[in-house]
């Protein structure tokens, strides 16, 4: 069950990487709205892809899960657009994923 859960979480990050590469426009708009440089999308896309691989492969799961929980919490603020119910849902979803990743981190004994 552990692998199945990690694969399901990995799908989210893999999808995020693919979306950033194929259609970067929405993410670029969020970065611009936050006053951040557009180039930040590319390290985020690479991080998403490597995170997905790491989750599936089981590589350094505790530190990876902690890093991903922090990433989800930090990036949730791009979606804190209360006038847009869709973005608000993504904001809450990011915090829920962060919670699941913290549980994954807590269940791991590897460093």
């Amino acid at each position: 069950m552990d692998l199945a859960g990690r694969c399901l979480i990995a799908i989210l990050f893999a999808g995020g990487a693919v979306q950033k590469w194929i259609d970067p426009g929405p993410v670029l708009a969020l970065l611009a709205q936050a006053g951040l440089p557009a180039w930040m999308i590319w390290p985020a896309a690479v991080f998403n892809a490597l995170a997905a691989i790491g989750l599936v492969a089981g590589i350094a799961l505790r530190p990876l899960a902690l890093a991903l929980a922090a990433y989800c919490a930090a990036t949730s603020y791009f979606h804190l657009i209360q006038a847009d119910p869709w973005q608000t849902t993504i904001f809450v979803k990011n915090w829920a994923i962060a919670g699941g990743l913290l549980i994954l981190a807590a269940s791991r004994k590897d460093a």
Side-chain angles (χ1 to χ4, degrees):
M1 269 216 252
D2 183 74
L3 177 60
R6 289 187 285 121
C7 287
L8 290 171
I9 297 170
I11 289 169
L12 177 72
F13 291 101
V18 169
Q19 181 259 332
K20 286 172 182 67
W21 287 106
I22 292 176
D23 184 18
V27 177
L28 291 173
L30 291 172
L31 287 171
Q33 183 177 354
L36 295 169
W39 63 262
M40 290 182 75
I41 191 172
W42 307 120
V46 170
F47 178 69
N48 282 197
L50 293 176
I53 293 166
L55 285 168
V56 173
I59 300 167
L61 285 174
R62 187 165 195 237
L64 177 59
L66 290 172
L68 287 170
Y71 175 82
C72 287
T75 59
S76 71
Y77 289 102
F78 290 107
H79 304 285
L80 186 55
I81 305 169
Q82 295 175 343
D84 184 342
W86 178 252
Q87 293 297 324
T88 301
T89 299
I90 295 171
F91 172 83
V92 173
K93 175 199 62 123
N94 275 17
W95 281 98
I97 295 164
L101 288 161
L102 290 175
I103 291 169
L104 176 62
S107 72
R108 307 310 299 188
K109 293 180 180 26
D110 55 344

